[in-house]
Amino acid sequence: MSTMFLRSLLLPLICVLALATWSHGLSRGQRRPSSLDAASNTLQYHGGPLLTKPNGINVYLIWYGGFSLKDRNSITDFFASYASPGRRQGPSVSTWWRTISTYKDKTGKPVSDTVRLVKQVGDVYSSGKTLKRAQLANFVKSKIESKIFPLDPNGIYLVLTAKDVTVERFCMGSCGFHDSILVGGSTRVVFAHVGDPTVQCPGLCAWPYALPAYGPPGPALVAPNGIGTDGMIINIATLLAGATTNPFKTGYFQGDALTPLEAVTACPGIFGAGAYPGYPGALLVDKMSKASYNAYGANGRKFLLPATWDLIRLNCKVIT
């Protein structure tokens, strides 16, 4: 397996480490929202492959541990939203992805313009409730080698762990990560992990729907699908963007390849117009539930999606 580069969502800990100047409880890196353009004007392309197959990016999902039906439905509806603009006009998950699909490889091929969940399996704690990152990699590899999942070089193998599962580095500087493994001796595939932060670190990995232990005062926002679930969805979106545009640590990133700023982590804490440290920006608010969101999805869902680095305008672009 390749070295486990810290491709963490750098989601939150940063909030704890840098709250004096801010760095809010989400993860988007150790920098202020405008730091990337001030430092370098853009993410650099390092010449490596991206996930560019025109038929889309296939996601193979492993539910590790116990998840409620409500949480499962919210997350699977999020994946369904890449192909569905939702029931009404307005910002959507599919329009959010358009910025990511402007990233191109050295031959001019863009990142795949859609993402789809093609297979999911459950696992009830077969390896216990305390896991190392290497175990997650081997877990994914075993699913491929046993033919439970196909070998798909343009796919992403995503492991979601339940709230009672402890994963190495999760909630300690990372809300998730993506990496790659070699399968069959010659094919490298991308895998990723996101954990449910409900119990272990909601203030770190579910901001702005939960407040960090040390941070600016003020109420948390109301989550449309549940604090932990919406935290996971934010982190899944962040990882999907990073894994497709920098799958093998040779794509688009800024800084150290082992701890890179990627398509979303380059824009820490920005969800709406006017965002600043500790404030996610102007968002839509549901009149009935008072839940805050910025994107519509499948089956009437509402989601909160992070800003992405726009290679054309050279700034952090929020969904509108």
Side-chain angles (χ1 to χ4, degrees):
M1 190 189 92
S2 66
T3 303
M4 281 286 184
F5 3 113
L6 289 183
R7 229 169 247 165
S8 314
L9 296 183
L10 287 177
L11 279 173
L13 163 71
I14 300 171
C15 137
V16 173
L17 297 178
L19 267 223
T21 59
W22 165 56
S23 201
H24 95 176
L26 220 181
S27 92
R28 314 266 139 156
Q30 300 152 297
R31 310 180 177 213
R32 301 175 72 89
S34 61
S35 63
L36 180 61
D37 35 345
S40 62
N41 287 331
T42 190
L43 294 181
Q44 299 296 320
Y45 177 48
H46 297 265
L50 314 180
L51 300 188
T52 59
K53 292 295 175 63
N55 59 345
I57 297 163
N58 295 327
V59 174
Y60 305 92
L61 179 58
I62 300 171
W63 301 93
Y64 188 90
F67 289 86
S68 70
L69 180 61
K70 174 179 177 293
D71 291 344
R72 285 174 179 258
N73 287 343
S74 296
I75 291 171
T76 55
D77 280 347
F78 169 68
F79 283 108
S81 300
Y82 281 89
S84 170
R87 296 179 179 177
R88 56 184 298 174
Q89 297 295 318
S92 67
V93 175
S94 57
T95 57
W96 174 79
W97 190 252
R98 289 176 188 168
T99 301
I100 301 302
S101 61
T102 63
Y103 284 62
K104 298 178 180 179
D105 68 12
K106 60 186 177 184
T107 68
K109 293 181 180 178
V111 164
S112 304
D113 63 4
T114 190
V115 175
R116 58 174 174 264
L117 177 61
V118 295
K119 190 169 185 179
Q120 51 184 315
V121 297
D123 186 292
V124 187
Y125 309 108
S126 66
S127 297
K129 293 187 177 182
T130 301
L131 303 174
K132 298 289 187 181
R133 286 187 170 188
Q135 286 179 279
L136 296 178
N138 289 330
F139 198 50
V140 168
K141 189 174 182 179
S142 70
K143 297 294 184 188
I144 299 172
E145 292 178 338
S146 63
K147 309 298 184 183
I148 293 174
F149 288 149
L151 179 60
D152 186 348
N154 202 64
I156 297 175
Y157 299 85
L158 176 62
V159 183
L160 301 182
T161 51
K163 59 187 176 184
D164 58 348
V165 177
T166 301
V167 175
E168 179 185 11
R169 301 184 203 170
F170 178 63
C171 288
M172 299 179 67
S174 169
C175 296
F177 72 98
H178 69 85
D179 203 342
S180 65
I181 51 174
L182 198 62
V183 181
S186 60
T187 304
R188 187 164 292 280
V189 298
V190 177
F191 77 99
H193 164 257
V194 171
D196 183 340
T198 302
V199 174
Q200 299 176 52
C201 57
L204 294 181
C205 295
W207 190 90
Y209 294 125
L211 298 180
Y214 306 96
L221 301 181
V222 177
N225 305 292
I227 294 172
T229 301
D230 278 310
M232 292 183 76
I233 288 169
I234 292 169
N235 299 336
I236 291 168
T238 300
L239 280 172
L240 290 177
T244 54
T245 60
N246 188 31
F248 309 114
K249 70 174 181 178
T250 55
Y252 287 89
F253 66 90
Q254 188 62 256
D256 190 328
L258 300 182
T259 55
L261 291 178
E262 297 179 326
V264 169
T265 54
C267 300
I270 304 174
F271 294 90
Y276 57 81
Y279 171 62
L283 304 174
L284 299 170
V285 178
D286 186 273
K287 292 181 180 179
M288 297 294 291
S289 68
K290 307 303 180 186
S292 295
Y293 63 99
N294 62 6
Y296 295 100
N299 298 319
R301 295 284 184 183
K302 298 177 175 68
F303 301 110
L304 183 64
L305 300 177
T308 54
W309 182 254
D310 188 330
L311 290 175
I312 298 172
R313 297 184 179 182
L314 301 182
N315 62 13
C316 291
K317 181 178 181 179
V318 298
I319 186 171
T320 54

